[in-house]
Amino acid sequence: MNISATNIILHSLNYNTEGVLECTKREGELPISPSIEQFLTKIHSTYQSKTNKAFASFREETGQPQVFQQALQQEMKGELDFVSFSQTAVDCLVEELQKQDFAEQGILLISKYSWTASDYLLIALLQNNESISVNENLELTNSQHLETSKIQLVTRIDLTLLSRSPESNRYLSFIKGRVGRQVSDFFLDFMGAQEGFDAKVQNQVLMKAVEEFCEKEALPVEKKQEVREVAFEYCKEQLKQGEDIELATLSEQMQEAPKLEGSFYDFVSEDYQLEQNFPADRSVMRKLTKYVGQGGGVSISFDQKHLGDRIQYDAASDTLTITGIPPNLREQLKRDTTDESSSTASDDESAPF
């Protein structure tokens, strides 16, 4: 599904030979065109596919909104035009960069667009890379292109959610660094935001709740697997549609398809700290229906339904026995063991008596 853009502007951030950050501000918006919307849709899709997103909200340490937040509020009320807002935003970013050791530079993209009944503000620092192409005279020429497939420094604000529920802790999202303080953290700092909602933790708690609900209901193995499949398919569809997991809806589907007596919604409402709705996390939800593990050069993944059937686990010897391995793996094993046998036989024939 394509997005519908209303505003877009670019500003340039570059360090000169003396190591001083220079900012070139554009004085007017880019005109919206099909190619611009296609470009923004590509960035939007890349961002949607990221699994390491985190959520945040604005902080008000002194009771007053900070510069970026105040400018955004004025823009949303129509008191500040989009160009002026974007220039204030880039000033805030430059000020924060000057405090850090990160030598980040590139093209700062700021855009407003609509998608699935919500309005968003997207801010991304894109790398302006050089590439070589061939012109009509078959000559090599240098050109610049914006990298849209590997964006890391990006944040998105759900303006609809911010207007409707300013007390929310999840209207702002960003790509989170994996370990320690990462470059992406200064994106929060320049906006005066703080991390709040953790979607991955919510998904992990949900997976745990599904398993413990099955245990509480004393479901047989087949019924457990059916419950997991229903939960997985629902979460997968929500992720595909870009929609949140709704606990009430998930509970209804779990109760209807496997015909359960107990209510999953009532169960999680008692002891689990789960939001009523939250984004699905692909890396977590796949564990509903699969066993996955790796280490020591071995990586194993298989559907849970095969345990006790095609796959047997002996806890005493810490051994997995697989019956009916995948055909492509079988062919590789046959080929390599045949080659090894032939090599051994050849060595034996040439060995002296």
Side-chain angles (χ1 to χ4, degrees):
M1 180 183 295
N2 291 341
I3 57 94
S4 176
T6 55
N7 309 86
I8 179 173
I9 194 168
L10 304 176
H11 301 297
S12 177
L13 299 177
N14 288 286
Y15 286 86
N16 61 23
T17 54
E18 285 75 35
V20 177
L21 182 63
E22 296 179 335
C23 177
T24 303
K25 300 178 184 177
R26 184 177 170 87
E27 297 298 329
E29 299 181 39
L30 293 172
I32 303 299
S33 65
S35 60
I36 288 291
E37 290 198 324
Q38 184 178 11
F39 170 70
L40 288 173
T41 297
K42 184 181 295 186
I43 295 177
H44 166 82
S45 299
T46 299
Y47 185 71
Q48 282 293 111
S49 67
K50 295 289 185 180
T51 59
N52 56 326
K53 289 196 292 289
F55 295 81
S57 60
F58 292 124
R59 60 174 183 263
E60 295 187 12
E61 297 173 347
T62 62
Q64 295 293 327
Q66 299 197 15
V67 176
F68 177 90
Q69 182 184 355
Q70 188 173 27
L72 178 59
Q73 289 175 345
Q74 291 174 339
E75 196 279 336
M76 292 173 67
K77 294 177 182 177
E79 300 171 357
L80 187 67
D81 64 86
F82 183 77
V83 174
S84 298
F85 159 71
S86 74
Q87 293 175 344
T88 298
V90 75
D91 285 341
C92 292
L93 178 59
V94 170
E95 182 180 351
E96 188 61 37
L97 275 171
Q98 291 171 342
K99 301 176 186 176
Q100 309 289 343
D101 296 328
F102 306 128
E104 291 300 317
Q105 56 185 343
I107 302 298
L108 186 70
L109 179 150
I110 304 179
S111 176
K112 288 176 67 176
Y113 65 86
S114 299
W115 180 67
T116 61
S118 289
D119 297 326
Y120 295 95
L121 173 72
L122 179 79
I123 303 176
L125 188 59
L126 306 176
Q127 297 305 308
N128 194 20
N129 296 331
E130 187 175 274
S131 62
I132 298 177
S133 58
V134 179
N135 62 20
E136 58 185 10
N137 296 321
L138 298 181
E139 298 170 336
L140 294 178
T141 60
N142 291 331
S143 61
Q144 301 288 322
H145 75 276
L146 292 175
E147 179 60 67
T148 60
S149 61
K150 299 178 182 179
I151 54 173
Q152 291 297 325
L153 297 177
V154 58
T155 184
R156 189 176 68 181
I157 301 174
D158 186 332
L159 301 176
T160 301
L161 179 59
L162 174 58
S163 297
R164 186 176 66 243
S165 304
E167 74 285 352
S168 171
N169 63 351
R170 51 176 294 186
Y171 50 74
L172 191 155
S173 64
F174 65 103
I175 298 176
K176 186 176 176 62
R178 297 190 181 278
V179 290
R181 179 172 174 81
Q182 298 290 324
V183 179
S184 59
D185 292 350
F186 73 72
F187 253 44
L188 286 183
D189 293 337
F190 101 81
M191 292 183 295
Q194 60 187 358
E195 189 171 348
F197 180 82
D198 193 326
K200 185 177 287 291
V201 170
Q202 290 285 301
N203 278 261
Q204 291 170 342
V205 173
L206 175 62
M207 301 303 104
K208 181 174 182 288
V210 170
E211 293 301 320
E212 293 181 352
F213 175 70
C214 291
E215 294 298 328
K216 176 180 178 296
E217 295 294 304
L219 301 179
V221 175
E222 296 79 8
K223 205 70 155 181
K224 283 183 182 179
Q225 191 57 39
E226 192 175 355
V227 169
R228 294 182 187 125
E229 290 285 351
V230 169
F232 174 75
E233 289 300 324
Y234 169 76
C235 294
K236 184 175 73 172
E237 184 61 26
Q238 294 302 98
L239 182 64
K240 180 181 177 181
Q241 299 296 329
E243 300 288 344
D244 283 357
I245 294 171
E246 299 279 350
L247 282 182
T249 304
L250 172 59
S251 179
E252 289 175 3
Q253 294 198 10
M254 288 174 62
Q255 202 156 5
E256 290 174 4
K259 303 298 183 183
L260 302 179
E261 294 183 4
S263 167
F264 179 71
Y265 185 82
D266 292 341
F267 176 75
V268 296
S269 297
E270 293 177 3
D271 302 313
Y272 297 87
Q273 300 298 315
L274 282 172
E275 300 279 340
Q276 291 298 307
N277 59 292
F278 50 88
D281 186 292
R282 183 183 293 104
S283 63
V284 176
M285 71 179 189
R286 69 173 183 153
K287 296 177 183 178
L288 268 173
T289 59
K290 288 183 177 294
Y291 289 113
V292 180
Q294 60 182 14
V298 176
S299 178
I300 298 176
S301 171
F302 59 89
D303 292 343
Q304 291 183 2
K305 63 183 179 182
H306 294 312
L307 186 63
D309 182 19
R310 290 177 55 193
I311 299 176
Q312 305 292 331
Y313 174 59
D314 185 342
S317 61
D318 194 25
T319 303
L320 277 180
T321 302
I322 303 175
T323 302
I325 63 175
N328 56 346
L329 176 59
R330 182 191 309 121
E331 293 305 314
Q332 293 177 60
L333 294 174
K334 284 183 176 180
R335 181 184 65 245
D336 290 348
T337 53
T338 300
D339 291 345
E340 184 178 342
S341 299
S342 299
S343 175
T344 303
S346 177
D347 291 342
D348 292 339
E349 291 174 0
S350 60
F353 291 101

